Amino acid sequence: MSVIIVNTDRIAHYSIKEYKGLVTANQVVGANLFADMFAGLTDIVGGKSGAYRERLDILYKDVKKQLSQKAAELGANAVVGFRIDFDEVSGKGKSMFMVTCIGTAVVIEPDRYEMYEKLHNLNVYLKDGLLTQEQYDFEKNLIESNNENFLANDVKRRAEMMEEERKRQAELEAAQEEERQRRAMMTEEEARKKDVISEKSENLWMMSPEGIESAEVPYTLKGNTMDEVIINLIAEDKFNEAGKYYMEETGLDAESSYDYIYKLFENNE
């Protein structure tokens, strides 16, 4: 895609349809390259000065090419507000010469109102006898073809965007269907466990081996199995109490209890 680059904020005969963001490019060379060239400079009009200008032109073209590529990658077809700087960067006994350019990547389109105005003027010129019918037809076709080229590109871009959106939606629906099927295969207890752990994962910091050691198991417990009791305690943010219950049921220490409950969350990710 050809990218128009200008140092103004607008481009004649075009309107800005979308701003894509800032784009930058730079090129760095050793400053000694230019120092060597100046060392042999004998005539400011000719000689080495021509080679110096040629090198600067090459750097200028390189950064503009980089800028154009970056703008195209963003889906832009123009860069406005183009600025370029030539600087010397020194440090640790070394000196480099850097060329930096910056601009705003945009999507432009032919100004439709300008096209309508041109077509109106053509009609006036034809009626006033300033144009022959052949000249009128030629100019009219030229104006309309330019606009048709834009419309074709615009339709293509919209079709590509719609296709990307369709793919994203299809991927989302596939993931949701996979989750539904997986949950359908779960028992009620497994589904409850997954939901509680997912909901309470942000509160896991409340649990610690020391907290488990000093916790007291509630007198009334809910659940028919050890896992059910632990999940119900976690649902009430009683992480340390769940750990203490596990200790009492298994005879293991607080560290082992901490690791067990932590892995419940880890395995649920």
Side-chain angles (χ1 to χ4, degrees), residues 37-151:
M37 294 173 66
F38 274 119
L41 184 59
T42 56
D43 187 348
I44 195 64
V45 176
K48 293 289 184 179
S49 62
Y52 181 74
R53 288 197 301 271
E54 182 179 348
R55 181 56 183 167
L56 286 178
D57 287 343
I58 292 174
L59 289 173
Y60 177 74
K61 290 176 181 178
D62 283 347
V63 292
K64 282 192 68 177
K65 183 178 179 180
Q66 289 181 39
L67 201 73
S68 176
Q69 291 174 341
K70 290 184 177 181
E73 288 171 1
L74 293 176
N77 59 358
V79 174
V80 296
F82 173 76
R83 298 291 183 272
I84 186 165
D85 290 315
F86 295 84
D87 299 298
E88 184 179 357
V89 182
S90 303
K92 296 183 179 180
K94 295 183 179 180
S95 183
M96 304 292 288
F97 193 76
M98 181 170 67
V99 182
T100 303
C101 64
I102 187 171
T104 301
V106 297
V107 176
I108 59 173
E109 64 181 19
D111 192 325
R112 285 186 172 88
Y113 291 103
E114 184 174 287
M115 181 196 70
Y116 299 149
E117 184 180 358
K118 287 180 179 179
L119 292 174
H120 171 73
N121 290 338
L122 280 180
N123 281 299
V124 173
Y125 297 155
L126 180 64
K127 290 178 181 178
D128 291 347
L130 299 176
L131 291 175
T132 65
Q133 185 64 47
E134 183 179 357
Q135 291 172 327
Y136 169 84
D137 291 339
F138 174 81
E139 294 294 337
K140 181 174 181 290
N141 289 334
L142 183 62
I143 293 171
E144 290 179 341
S145 65
N146 288 337
N147 196 61
E148 285 172 3
N149 289 336
F150 160 73
L151 289 175

Side-chain angles (χ1 to χ4, degrees), residues 12-245:
H13 313 305
Y14 290 89
S15 59
I16 295 176
K17 179 181 177 183
E18 183 180 358
Y19 288 88
K20 291 291 188 178
L22 287 175
V23 283
T24 61
N26 58 70
Q27 187 72 283
V28 179
V29 295
N32 63 310
L33 172 65
F34 296 97
D36 292 343
M37 294 173 66
F38 274 119
L41 184 59
T42 56
D43 187 348
I44 195 64
V45 176
K48 293 289 184 179
S49 62
Y52 181 74
R53 288 197 301 271
E54 182 179 348
R55 181 56 183 167
L56 286 178
D57 287 343
I58 292 174
L59 289 173
Y60 177 74
K61 290 176 181 178
D62 283 347
V63 292
K64 282 192 68 177
K65 183 178 179 180
Q66 289 181 39
L67 201 73
S68 176
Q69 291 174 341
K70 290 184 177 181
E73 288 171 1
L74 293 176
N77 59 358
V79 174
V80 296
F82 173 76
R83 298 291 183 272
I84 186 165
D85 290 315
F86 295 84
D87 299 298
E88 184 179 357
V89 182
S90 303
K92 296 183 179 180
K94 295 183 179 180
S95 183
M96 304 292 288
F97 193 76
M98 181 170 67
V99 182
T100 303
C101 64
I102 187 171
T104 301
V106 297
V107 176
I108 59 173
E109 64 181 19
D111 192 325
R112 285 186 172 88
Y113 291 103
E114 184 174 287
M115 181 196 70
Y116 299 149
E117 184 180 358
K118 287 180 179 179
L119 292 174
H120 171 73
N121 290 338
L122 280 180
N123 281 299
V124 173
Y125 297 155
L126 180 64
K127 290 178 181 178
D128 291 347
L130 299 176
L131 291 175
T132 65
Q133 185 64 47
E134 183 179 357
Q135 291 172 327
Y136 169 84
D137 291 339
F138 174 81
E139 294 294 337
K140 181 174 181 290
N141 289 334
L142 183 62
I143 293 171
E144 290 179 341
S145 65
N146 288 337
N147 196 61
E148 285 172 3
N149 289 336
F150 160 73
L151 289 175
N153 291 332
D154 192 44
V155 169
K156 181 180 178 182
R157 285 197 302 271
R158 290 178 182 275
E160 290 173 349
M161 291 174 62
M162 289 177 65
E163 178 62 17
E164 290 176 1
E165 179 60 28
R166 186 194 66 77
K167 288 181 179 179
R168 283 196 296 268
Q169 186 63 31
E171 290 173 357
L172 177 61
E173 291 176 356
Q176 290 174 340
E177 179 60 27
E178 183 180 347
E179 176 64 15
R180 281 194 294 268
Q181 292 179 0
R182 193 168 67 84
R183 290 186 67 88
M185 298 174 63
M186 289 182 178
T187 64
E188 185 177 343
E189 180 181 345
E190 288 172 336
R192 160 78 171 163
K193 177 180 176 181
K194 180 176 176 61
D195 290 341
V196 169
I197 289 179
S198 176
E199 180 184 348
K200 297 297 181 177
S201 59
E202 294 182 356
N203 297 340
L204 188 58
W205 60 269
M206 300 169 64
M207 181 180 66
S208 68
E210 295 78 15
I212 292 173
E213 190 70 55
S214 60
E216 293 184 3
V217 178
Y219 181 77
T220 302
L221 297 172
K222 301 175 184 178
N224 298 319
T225 65
M226 182 177 71
D227 277 351
E228 280 188 31
V229 171
I230 289 175
I231 291 301
N232 286 326
L233 287 171
I234 290 174
E236 298 176 3
D237 286 327
K238 295 178 179 179
F239 292 86
N240 291 319
E241 290 82 352
K244 190 60 172 281
Y245 171 76

